[in-house]
Amino acid sequence: MRHIAIVGSGPAGYYTAEAALKQWGDDVRVDVYDSLPVPFGLIRSGVAPDHQSIKAVSRRYEATALTGNVRFLGNVTIGRDVTIPELEALYDAVVLATGAPHDRKLGLPGEELRNVFGSAAFVGWYNGHPGFARLDPHLAHHTAVVIGNGNVALDVARILAKSQDEFAGSDIVAHALDALQEARIERIVILGRRGPHQIAMTPKELGELGHLSRACPIVEAADLPDESEDAALDPGQRKSVAHLRAFAARPPEDCAAKAIRVEFDFFASPVAITGAERVDAVQVERTKLVDGRAVGTGETYEIPAGLVIACIGYQTSPIPDVPFDEKAGRFANAEGRIRPGLYCVGWSRRGPTGTIGTNRPDGFSIIEKVAEDIGAGTGKRGGEGFDEIAQARDLKVVRYRDWKRIEEAEIANARAGSPREKFVLVQEMIAAAQG
């Protein structure tokens, strides 16, 4: 029997568990650990609450979780409740699938001011992540600045701009919905260091921005390259740039009746955030492209703003006793191998790149390496040994059946039109898990 521990119950974790089942069938036991009492990681707390079709992938993970030789062990923090060396002593292989839950720093003066957030924190706030439920952003200023030109920046801008009716069917948490409906934001500026041809925004997300009831996306035609240059782009990029061209071609009267302007500010690099205790402006330098790189021109200007959200990427959390690459913001590894018996997968292996589906081949690839390394298994005790540790340390471990009780309570608590009302405090989750 092979015994595999997977740390992290998000897409990378459950795809890896699925791969282990396909590799060994009944000859494997897989324990999936998570620091939260609830599974699915990024699907629950990272995917935009109005993108329920994307969240539906969790049904696939549930099919894996409900097999007899896979266990979910929630509310267990690896490195605190149980150590990596302890897991290595119990399991033939330990696979870290912890994702990249922390924001990359901007590295700018003033980024520690109040009301300056990273996207992990801000998205976690409106998605009900227990670590960010008490964030309490101040939304009374007329201008918000969103830094970044990827889909997360679009998600943040769209959530800030939506009307209450447009949240129907979403699982945005009540505290965020209430705060957003009281917001006074009239202008959202999306800053990008480079130009329209360099965006990492996909057509679907850009298209959504053009159909909001009270917001109008604005692109300066002068920022767009000659249309003939679009031919060099891949099909997805061409569709995205086509959306930007359509935004630029809108007559001004289309936006006159809209309460919120969503402005794309290309060739714009933030250089400082200013304010006394809370942010009141962003200092920006105009850029130009030189061999594909954004280079400052020395021309600067100021955007008065009371809210700043940086959507510039994420990094993995270090774990005691695991080598960490500080520069790359992920575990130090060679194609997923950290040391004999210890592996990493997904964002904790390669950094925050790719889509949710990218983690599936990654999970299967790492299990192939594990199979090559451990052969028929090493005779370790696996989950039985962890159960003894949990009992001795009085750990309040949440199993998958307990998570289903939490889920049932969230569904029962849902407001009209919403699939669920998430618990945002761990103690509330534990109470619901206990029935």
Side-chain angles (χ1 to χ4, degrees):
M1 183 64 65
R2 290 91 170 166
H3 295 283
I4 310 295
I6 298 173
V7 182
S9 69
Y14 270 116
Y15 281 130
T16 303
E18 177 188 336
L21 295 179
K22 290 189 181 296
Q23 177 73 34
W24 293 297
D26 289 336
D27 296 328
V28 68
R29 295 291 180 268
V30 181
D31 283 348
V32 180
Y33 290 88
D34 202 290
S35 60
L36 290 178
V38 293
F40 306 142
L42 184 71
I43 301 302
R44 178 179 170 94
S45 60
V47 173
D50 55 348
H51 284 175
Q52 290 297 305
S53 61
I54 297 175
K55 289 175 181 278
V57 73
S58 62
R59 295 178 195 140
R60 177 175 187 146
Y61 308 148
E62 177 159 281
T64 299
L66 291 174
T67 58
N69 41 354
V70 175
R71 299 195 304 174
F72 172 70
L73 302 169
N75 200 40
V76 179
T77 299
I78 305 303
R80 184 192 69 191
D81 297 328
V82 61
T83 68
I84 288 291
E86 286 174 324
L87 291 183
E88 289 177 300
L90 291 173
Y91 294 89
D92 298 303
V94 178
V95 182
L96 305 179
T98 54
H102 292 301
D103 287 298
R104 275 181 52 204
K105 292 289 188 181
L106 282 165
L108 299 180
E111 70 176 307
E112 303 304 324
L113 288 169
R114 288 174 56 198
N115 239 37
V116 178
F117 305 108
S119 55
F122 194 75
V123 170
W125 169 72
Y126 61 65
N127 264 325
H129 190 291
F132 306 111
R134 301 187 188 278
L135 200 68
D136 194 25
H138 184 71
L139 306 177
H141 198 278
H142 57 79
T143 299
V145 170
V146 179
I147 301 172
N149 264 188
N151 279 344
V152 177
L154 281 179
D155 285 345
V156 168
R158 188 180 67 256
I159 295 299
L160 287 172
K162 274 197 163 187
S163 68
Q164 185 162 9
D165 289 345
E166 287 173 314
F167 283 111
S170 80
D171 64 351
I172 188 170
V173 291
H175 67 242
L177 185 59
D178 292 344
L180 288 166
Q181 298 318 303
E182 296 296 322
R184 300 177 186 173
I185 295 170
E186 300 172 358
R187 182 188 183 209
I188 301 166
V189 182
I190 302 176
L191 287 183
R193 292 184 302 112
R194 298 188 293 171
H197 275 191
Q198 288 75 42
I199 60 172
M201 299 168 172
T202 51
K204 178 181 181 294
E205 281 69 21
L206 268 171
E208 287 178 300
L209 205 61
H211 296 286
L212 299 180
S213 65
R214 62 174 188 167
C216 185
I218 296 171
V219 173
E220 292 293 334
D223 286 337
L224 291 161
D226 189 275
E227 196 165 353
S228 63
E229 297 179 30
D230 293 356
L233 302 174
D234 66 46
Q237 286 178 304
R238 281 200 299 274
K239 290 179 182 177
S240 293
V241 174
H243 282 302
L244 296 178
R245 293 191 185 280
F247 297 159
R250 278 190 171 185
E253 54 268 26
D254 279 9
C255 292
K258 303 278 188 174
I260 299 174
R261 296 164 57 91
V262 182
E263 302 175 14
F264 288 82
D265 194 358
F266 293 111
F267 305 107
S269 179
V271 293
I273 300 169
T274 60
E277 295 181 357
R278 178 185 292 158
V279 56
D280 59 29
V282 179
Q283 304 294 323
V284 182
E285 182 178 16
R286 187 62 66 197
T287 65
K288 62 180 179 181
L289 285 182
V290 178
D291 297 327
R293 293 174 54 249
V295 176
T297 64
E299 177 191 349
T300 61
Y301 56 100
E302 179 179 279
I303 303 174
L307 172 68
V308 175
I309 303 153
C311 308
I312 60 167
Y314 308 104
Q315 59 184 21
T316 299
S317 303
I319 297 177
D321 303 306
V322 180
F324 193 76
D325 185 336
E326 294 285 352
K327 185 176 180 180
R330 54 176 172 74
F331 298 119
N333 72 93
E335 296 299 314
R337 289 183 171 99
I338 298 174
R339 58 175 177 250
L342 184 62
Y343 307 81
C344 56
V345 69
W347 283 8
S348 62
R349 178 189 74 81
R350 66 182 189 272
T353 60
T355 65
I356 290 168
T358 307
N359 293 293
R360 186 176 187 274
D362 208 11
F364 277 74
S365 174
I366 207 66
I367 286 298
E368 288 177 2
K369 293 179 174 65
V370 172
E372 179 184 330
D373 294 347
I374 69 172
T378 57
K380 294 184 179 181
R381 299 182 65 202
E384 177 187 337
F386 169 75
D387 293 344
E388 293 176 3
I389 290 174
Q391 184 174 2
R393 296 175 187 173
D394 195 26
L395 302 181
K396 292 180 172 58
V397 181
V398 173
R399 305 298 180 92
Y400 202 83
R401 62 180 177 272
D402 305 321
W403 146 244
K404 295 303 288 183
R405 292 193 193 98
I406 298 171
E407 184 180 44
E408 288 168 7
E410 290 184 337
I411 292 171
N413 292 339
R415 65 185 177 273
S418 175
R420 66 190 64 81
E421 182 59 51
K422 296 176 190 171
F423 293 111
V424 299
L425 300 178
V426 168
Q427 55 265 40
E428 293 176 339
M429 298 174 183
I430 298 297
Q434 295 170 342

